[in-house]
Amino acid sequence: MKRKPISPKLLIRHKWKTKIFALLLVGFCFSTFLLMEAQYSRIGGASSMFPLFVQKPKIAFLFLARNRLPLDLVWDEFFQGESENRFSIYVHSRPGFLLNKLTTRSRYFLDRQVNNSIQIYWGEASMIQAEIILLQHALMDPSNERFAFLSDSCIPLYNFSYTYDYIMSTSTSFVDSFADTKEGRYNPKMDPVIPVNHWRKGSQWAILTRKHAEIIVKDDIVFPMFQQHCQASTISNIICHGEGMLVSSIDLTMLTGGFFSCLQRKSLPEFWRDRPVPADNSKEHNCIPDEHYVATLLAHKGLEGEITRRSVTHTSWDISSNKGRERQGWHPVTYKLADATPMLIQSIKDIDNIYYETEYRREWCTSKGKPSPCFLFARKFTRPAALRLLNMVIITIKHFLI
């Protein structure tokens, strides 16, 4: 059966339909492209108007306190108005103590106590354990990049922005660290785990990088040696009261009599070492763990090149009653109401270098490669003294001219 030939008219009509369909398809694709381009432009414009949130590195402020924070109003002013994505707060208080609306007047400290705190005894490794507990909690937040230890008697000397920039401008930790060659606190029983050339001393009020904080938390070599061989001598921890007297040097046979009431362990006062600790020369190794541990651990790990070997927390040591140059009789000055003056604060802020006698080393303080004040914080201030400074606008942080 023969197929009928297609007429020329039908062939021309079919070609036109094909062309029209092709043109419609191209037009549809082009209009779709333009629509998508416009949509992406709107999205891009919106993202430029509302940029995505970028988490800045945070400083974890780690407070060691006995109970409440008596200077919470001072710190409240320090944190006021600052974005909370630049700091976090952790507090170690005695077990069972809660920071709630009855115990703190600052919203920044509400419920900021760690839930596994321990009882701290002066002259024992329990102080180091408390610091480790704080670090463990703070390390859970990956945004925390610096870890600053502070006492409950500390005040800030500058506003938050200046403090943040000062700390974050360097990749090092701030750890007071110097060779301890005079006091005989090193116990040879620590050798060879901790050789004497790694033995260091310094203030416990350090600011650590995340790397160094993790090293402390993971340490299972140096810390056990401190638990065994670094503690205040037993006699100096025996506090005996008899007829209103504090006895620091006693005959042990008196302990069994009814005249004295003695305690073997001394809990921390409201402010760390608020009272002078009696010097005791009856033991060769009168070791205060918190004054040695961090600096010794980092020296033991060969990391002293990664630290700025000074503290940024100022402490004034009272040596007026100490005729010798030995450090055993020293204790930190507590500033009271009458001491809280603009001149005092300015004198601390004017310090631009620190001299380490045992190493014949003078540490000139710098920030961002330029000369700078040495200290960002100061202690030990009573609550009346700190509030007086606050009222005098010495540390009314947001309005203070640096």
Side-chain angles (χ1 to χ4, degrees):
M1 183 175 178
K2 293 183 178 180
R3 182 181 295 176
K4 291 182 179 181
I6 301 173
S7 67
K9 289 183 179 181
L10 289 174
L11 187 59
I12 293 171
R13 187 182 301 171
H14 178 73
K15 288 181 178 181
W16 273 106
K17 286 183 179 179
T18 304
K19 289 180 179 180
I20 292 171
F21 177 77
L23 287 172
L24 290 174
L25 184 62
V26 171
F28 174 77
C29 292
F30 185 70
S31 61
T32 302
F33 173 77
L34 292 177
L35 183 63
M36 292 176 65
E37 185 71 19
Q39 186 70 16
Y40 284 130
S41 298
R42 283 197 295 269
I43 294 173
S47 63
S48 63
M49 292 175 60
F50 304 100
L52 295 176
F53 174 76
V54 178
Q55 176 63 61
K56 293 185 177 180
K58 293 197 292 188
I59 299 174
F61 291 86
L62 312 179
F63 289 88
L64 285 157
R66 182 182 180 185
N67 292 310
R68 67 182 67 222
L69 288 164
L71 309 186
D72 55 353
L73 287 182
V74 175
W75 287 100
D76 187 88
E77 185 67 29
F78 177 75
F79 294 120
Q80 280 287 351
E82 295 301 326
S83 172
E84 291 189 41
N85 70 324
R86 292 206 293 173
F87 69 90
S88 53
I89 296 171
Y90 304 84
V91 181
H92 184 287
S93 292
R94 64 172 172 79
F97 182 82
L98 298 177
L99 285 164
N100 53 37
K101 291 183 178 180
L102 295 177
T103 55
T104 181
R105 293 148 296 175
S106 171
R107 67 181 179 89
Y108 296 106
F109 293 103
L110 289 174
D111 300 319
R112 297 313 304 159
Q113 75 283 343
V114 296
N115 58 9
N116 58 337
S117 61
I118 60 172
Q119 184 63 51
I120 298 175
Y121 295 97
W122 181 83
E124 296 185 8
S126 56
M127 177 73 81
I128 300 173
Q129 286 178 286
E131 294 177 346
I132 292 173
I133 289 170
L134 283 168
L135 288 175
Q136 288 172 336
H137 282 269
L139 284 168
M140 293 179 186
D141 184 346
S143 299
N144 287 330
E145 292 290 340
R146 297 292 186 275
F147 304 81
F149 287 111
L150 297 162
S151 83
D152 54 6
S153 65
C154 265
I155 64 169
L157 296 173
Y158 298 93
N159 63 38
F160 180 88
S161 293
Y162 180 87
T163 303
Y164 182 90
D165 291 342
Y166 192 112
I167 293 172
M168 300 304 297
S169 66
T170 178
S171 61
T172 65
S173 294
F174 289 94
V175 179
D176 194 32
S177 176
F178 55 93
D180 181 26
T181 60
K182 292 189 175 184
E183 294 182 19
R185 290 188 177 185
Y186 176 76
N187 190 334
K189 292 180 180 179
M190 293 182 174
D191 190 68
V193 177
I194 307 175
V196 67
N197 62 304
H198 290 169
W199 185 246
R200 298 290 185 270
K201 187 178 180 182
S203 166
Q204 74 181 100
W205 313 114
I207 296 180
L208 303 171
T209 62
R210 190 173 184 89
K211 174 184 175 179
H212 295 161
E214 290 173 343
I215 287 172
I216 291 171
V217 167
K218 295 176 182 177
D219 173 40
D220 58 1
I221 297 175
V222 173
F223 180 56
M225 298 302 295
F226 269 72
Q227 288 179 301
Q228 296 177 48
H229 303 301
C230 180
Q231 58 184 336
S233 58
T234 305
I235 289 291
S236 67
N237 274 343
I238 298 179
I239 307 299
C240 295
H241 296 272
E243 294 186 349
M245 296 182 294
L246 175 64
V247 181
S248 59
S249 180
I250 59 174
D251 182 345
L252 291 179
T253 59
M254 300 171 69
L255 301 184
T256 58
F259 187 73
F260 289 100
S261 171
C262 299
L263 297 174
Q264 279 292 122
R265 306 171 86 191
K266 182 183 179 184
S267 297
L268 289 178
E270 185 70 21
F271 293 122
W272 306 118
R273 300 175 201 167
D274 198 30
R275 305 174 186 84
V277 178
D280 173 48
N281 299 317
S282 62
K283 293 282 183 178
E284 181 182 357
H285 310 294
N286 187 24
C287 182
I288 313 301
D290 54 273
E291 295 183 355
H292 296 274
Y293 174 66
V294 172
T296 297
L297 174 61
L298 295 180
H300 182 73
K301 294 286 187 180
L303 298 174
E304 287 189 299
E306 297 180 8
I307 67 174
T308 299
R309 296 175 64 195
R310 61 180 175 87
S311 173
V312 293
T313 298
H314 178 268
T315 304
S316 178
W317 294 95
D318 181 9
I319 59 173
S320 59
S321 60
N322 189 7
K323 295 181 180 179
R325 297 290 292 178
E326 297 301 317
R327 171 75 160 71
Q328 286 180 329
W330 295 18
H331 57 277
V333 171
T334 298
Y335 296 112
K336 300 179 180 179
L337 180 65
D339 304 313
T341 64
M343 290 75 74
L344 170 65
I345 299 301
Q346 192 58 50
S347 68
I348 296 173
K349 296 174 75 169
D350 285 342
I351 298 172
D352 61 0
N353 71 91
I354 305 169
Y355 182 68
Y356 292 91
E357 185 178 348
T358 61
E359 297 181 341
Y360 305 102
R361 170 172 63 94
R362 188 174 298 279
E363 190 81 20
W364 290 94
C365 303
T366 61
S367 177
K368 300 179 182 179
K370 298 179 181 179
S372 70
C374 291
F375 300 111
L376 300 175
F377 312 104
R379 60 187 288 268
K380 301 169 39 176
F381 286 83
T382 62
R383 182 170 176 268
L387 291 181
R388 182 185 185 191
L389 291 172
L390 186 63
N391 292 334
M392 294 167 64
V393 202
I394 299 301
I395 50 172
T396 307
I397 305 300
K398 290 185 293 185
H399 306 293
F400 189 77
L401 296 177
I402 297 171

